[in-house]
Amino acid sequence: MTARAWAELLRVSALFTVPGDALAGAAASGRHPNGSTALAVGASLCLYEAGMALNDWADRAEDAVDRPHRPIPSGRIAPGAALAAAGALTAAGLGLAARAGRPALAVATGLAATVWAYDLRLKHTPAGPAAMAAARGLDLLLGATATGAAGRTTGPGAGPDPAARGSVLGALPAAGLLGAHTYAVTAVSRHEVHGGSTTAPLAALAAVTALGAAALHTRRARGGEPGTARGTTARTENGRGGERGTAPGVTAQTERARGGEPGTAPETTAQTRRERRGAPGAAPRMRSGRGGDRSLPRPAHRPSAPLTVTAPGLLRTALTGSYIRTAAVPLLHAALNPSPPLTQRAVGGGIRAMIPLQAALAARTGAVGTALAVMGLVPIARNLARKVSPT
């Protein structure tokens, strides 16, 4: 057993598509990455590599015919060693998730169960692509859960942060987009050995286009700007309705501002009514409608608001363009010529395209720093892909 053999077994070039899941989940939850996010990244890496080792162990008989150069059929790694590595990596991933809190451990347990079910049972069934999509979505939710659970309280009555559940709910759309991309790539990967399918690449190409359009839409956090912390929502609500615990006098003061001081003389009220109706004998006034005074001509059209170009918007557009270009070009080639080499290249492009997609999902919430950090993994993944195939 050599380091090269283990690198091929674990597909280390695809490993760098994993950290962006947890980071995109943290951004989608409206929180900044923290120590628990780092634990989620570590758990994701371990569970991903566990799935890679288990995949080759489960497919060792099939690979002996279709891919005899793989580490297990070529004899460079023993089947028992691959299975033991899968078990050890799964245990390590769950251990890291447990340190991030019980909610994160629950999500990681579901992720590990999905990975093992896919490799041992679901891979060659119609439910295979859906299982892979669920695994990627759960990986993103693991980052959101761990980041949200970092605010848990201590002492008597300790429990998760009340905002943690909202953080996970806010990450669901991003998890759905990432899962949809994974589904499309997995459907194409079923034909990478023998080729011959144009339907799967064309369907994946359509999915990539739709996902790119969805990623361009800005996701606003509840009650605030994109990427605003949830604490801002409370401040916004307080700004609308007053601080909780505000003295009743403040509310009364507001009511007085609307309807006048309590105890106002009836003459004042009557005078106000006369002023609204006009003096006796005066010409009746034109009533105002919703569009203003009816006696005035209405404008033919309302002036449109000027387009605002912002740096986060430009970054989001650039990242989305990088995602579409990375995934769509090899898919188009595979659709035009569904040979095994071009289909494998399309699968590899779909795997690498996850990084700019994760960055775009982070950027659309306003997490510019997180998006740039995720994109920093692209050159590393590209260089490793030249040495070790990600498929």
Side-chain angles (χ1 to χ4, degrees):
M1 293 185 292
T2 63
R4 170 78 183 189
W6 281 104
E8 292 181 14
L9 179 75
L10 300 177
R11 295 174 174 85
V12 294
S13 61
L15 185 63
F16 293 92
T17 68
V18 178
D21 291 345
L23 293 174
S29 68
R31 293 172 174 267
H32 294 291
N34 48 44
S36 295
T37 311
L39 291 173
V41 171
S44 298
L45 292 172
C46 290
L47 294 176
Y48 184 85
E49 293 293 48
M52 291 298 180
L54 184 64
N55 176 76
D56 273 29
W57 179 85
D59 291 348
R60 61 191 184 280
E62 180 182 340
D63 288 343
V65 177
D66 296 329
R67 295 179 172 184
H69 61 279
R70 292 295 299 166
I72 293 180
S74 64
R76 290 177 291 162
I77 293 180
L83 182 60
L89 287 168
T90 300
L94 294 177
L96 289 173
R99 292 189 59 188
R102 279 184 291 181
L105 177 60
V107 176
T109 302
L111 173 58
T114 304
V115 169
W116 280 72
Y118 172 81
D119 286 334
L120 299 180
R121 278 289 189 182
L122 302 177
K123 182 176 182 180
H124 300 292
T125 69
M132 281 294 291
R136 276 286 177 171
L138 286 172
D139 201 26
L140 187 145
L141 293 178
L142 176 59
T145 305
T147 306
R152 56 185 300 185
T153 59
T154 59
D161 185 353
R165 180 178 298 180
S167 300
V168 176
L169 293 177
L172 286 177
L177 294 178
L178 188 62
H181 173 81
T182 305
Y183 186 101
V185 175
T186 306
V188 176
S189 70
R190 295 188 158 200
H191 308 278
E192 63 180 342
V193 175
H194 303 289
S197 173
T198 58
T199 303
L202 285 176
L205 184 61
V208 167
T209 304
L211 292 173
L216 283 175
H217 288 283
T218 304
R219 177 189 170 275
R220 291 184 178 271
R222 296 183 180 181
E225 292 298 323
T228 303
R230 295 185 62 84
T232 308
T233 306
R235 290 195 298 269
T236 304
E237 295 298 329
N238 291 334
R240 292 179 180 175
E243 293 286 342
R244 293 184 175 88
T246 302
V250 177
T251 305
Q253 182 179 1
T254 305
E255 295 299 328
R256 287 196 300 270
R258 292 179 179 176
E261 291 287 339
T264 303
E267 297 84 24
T268 306
T269 305
Q271 181 180 0
T272 304
R273 292 176 180 174
R274 286 195 301 270
E275 290 176 355
R276 292 178 180 175
R277 291 195 301 265
R285 296 177 59 187
M286 300 294 292
R287 292 185 177 181
S288 298
R290 293 183 179 179
D293 198 332
R294 295 182 182 178
S295 61
L296 299 176
R298 295 183 178 181
H301 65 278
R302 294 182 178 180
S304 58
L307 295 177
T308 303
V309 179
T310 61
L314 291 176
L315 177 62
R316 184 173 66 252
T317 303
L319 294 174
T320 304
S322 176
Y323 160 68
I324 294 176
R325 179 178 58 81
T326 304
V329 173
L331 284 172
L332 180 60
H333 292 166
L336 296 176
N337 181 12
S339 62
L342 290 181
T343 304
Q344 293 173 11
R345 189 176 300 176
V347 174
I351 294 174
R352 291 191 304 273
M354 289 184 181
I355 298 179
L357 176 58
Q358 295 158 348
L361 293 177
R364 78 178 193 144
T365 65
V368 175
T370 300
L372 293 176
V374 172
M375 281 301 291
L377 300 173
V378 170
I380 304 176
R382 184 186 296 116
N383 292 335
L384 283 177
R386 297 169 183 168
K387 301 177 181 179
V388 180
S389 173
T391 61

